[in-house]
């Protein structure tokens, strides 16, 4: 990696990271997440040696972005490095396009040996999206969950779904999650419908 490279990583919880390399030497390099500006140090094997705030991250693609997308990524990094306040935090059309498409670009150009990691991350993120949209909406008007409320549960839920699991069994798992997190009765009431969506999702996994 060289200073100025824009690369793509996967965090331990499956989160996708668009990263800007800002320091490098023979043994390691430093990169920061473009939108959050959190930093991490990586070995030359692409594995994180230290991550701000804890956790871990693995580089899965170092493909070169097309020039326009690259310039947008660098500009977005500079934008958030300046700690802007609203309305300067509003994304431009080009920035929105980058946020929406960079994952597909990099995942089509993976480093050898990272395919399974990305496949697992895709499952975690797809399951998490159903939880956030259908079961316990993160944008609920009252008492929404934190964005990372269920990160620790996602791997277990994915493992459950990878078995021949019924909708009822998934609903029971969701009910247990809701009870442990002390969520509202409305969350529990959406359990069966969310479980059905998760089972349908599982049916598309290969």
């Amino acid at each position: 990696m060289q200073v100025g490279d824009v690369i793509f990583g996967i965090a331990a919880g499956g989160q996708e990271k668009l990263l800007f390399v800002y320091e490098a030497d023979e043994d390691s390099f430093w990169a920061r997440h473009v939108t959050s500006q959190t930093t991490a140090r990586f070995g030359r094997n692409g594995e994180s040696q230290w991550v701000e705030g804890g956790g871990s991250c693995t580089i899965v693609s170092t493909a070169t972005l097309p020039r326009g997308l690259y310039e947008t990524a660098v500009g977005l990094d500079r934008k958030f490095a300046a700690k802007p306040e609203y309305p300067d935090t509003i994304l431009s059309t080009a920035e929105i396009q980058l946020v929406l498409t960079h994952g597909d670009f990099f995942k089509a150009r993976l480093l050898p040996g990272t395919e399974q990691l990305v496949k697992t991350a895709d499952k975690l993120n797809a399951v998490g999206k159903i939880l956030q949209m259908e079961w316990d909406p993160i944008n609920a008007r009252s008492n929404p969950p934190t964005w990372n409320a269920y990160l620790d549960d996602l791997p277990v839920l994915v493992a459950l779904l990878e078995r021949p699991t019924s909708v009822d069994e998934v609903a029971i798992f969701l009910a247990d999650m809701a009870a442990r997190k002390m969520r509202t009765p409305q969350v529990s009431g959406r359990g069966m419908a969310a479980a059905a969506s998760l089972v349908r999702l599982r049916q598309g996994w290969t």
Side-chain angles (χ1 to χ4, degrees):
M1 290 298 95
Q2 298 180 350
V3 172
D5 286 347
V6 175
I7 56 180
F8 186 67
I10 299 291
Q15 305 95 322
E16 299 177 358
K17 303 290 184 180
L18 182 65
L19 301 163
F20 178 80
V21 178
Y22 64 91
E23 186 176 326
D25 58 33
E26 291 183 358
D27 300 319
S28 63
F29 60 93
W30 288 83
R32 58 179 172 252
H33 185 216
V34 166
T35 52
S36 72
Q37 294 291 291
T38 54
T39 60
R41 183 185 181 188
F42 295 87
R44 285 291 173 178
N45 62 355
E47 298 289 343
S48 61
Q49 300 176 337
W50 176 86
V51 176
E52 181 179 355
S56 62
C57 186
T58 300
I59 303 304
V60 297
S61 180
T62 58
T64 302
L65 282 169
R67 183 172 183 82
L69 287 178
Y70 173 81
E71 291 175 349
T72 299
V74 172
L76 193 60
D77 175 70
R78 291 172 180 165
K79 179 177 183 173
F80 281 100
K83 297 179 170 45
E85 296 184 0
Y86 183 84
D88 293 331
T89 53
I90 296 175
L91 300 184
S92 68
T93 300
E95 289 166 344
I96 292 172
Q97 177 74 3
L98 171 72
V99 170
L100 293 176
T101 64
H102 77 270
D104 290 339
F105 173 85
F106 283 113
K107 283 188 278 188
R109 300 162 177 83
L110 294 175
L111 293 170
T114 62
E115 295 84 0
Q116 187 57 48
L117 176 62
V118 172
K119 186 175 181 179
T120 299
D122 285 345
K123 290 180 179 180
L124 291 170
N125 291 326
V127 169
K129 184 176 180 180
I130 288 177
L131 297 186
Q132 291 179 352
M133 299 295 290
E134 300 184 26
W135 182 62
D136 195 2
I138 199 168
N139 61 348
R141 291 186 178 181
S142 61
N143 195 26
T146 58
W147 72 268
N148 61 349
Y150 302 106
L151 282 183
D152 292 341
D153 296 285
L154 288 181
V156 182
L157 180 52
V158 168
L160 176 67
L161 289 167
E162 286 178 329
R163 303 199 299 269
T165 309
S166 69
V167 171
D168 286 343
E169 289 173 310
V170 177
I172 290 171
F173 185 91
L174 294 181
D176 178 66
M177 284 173 59
R180 285 189 286 103
K181 303 293 184 180
M182 295 183 288
R183 300 306 293 148
T184 63
Q186 290 86 349
V187 174
S188 297
R190 291 188 289 264
M192 189 61 72
S197 292
L198 289 168
V199 169
R200 285 194 297 271
L201 172 70
R202 185 269 313 281
Q203 291 169 350
W205 291 351
T206 57

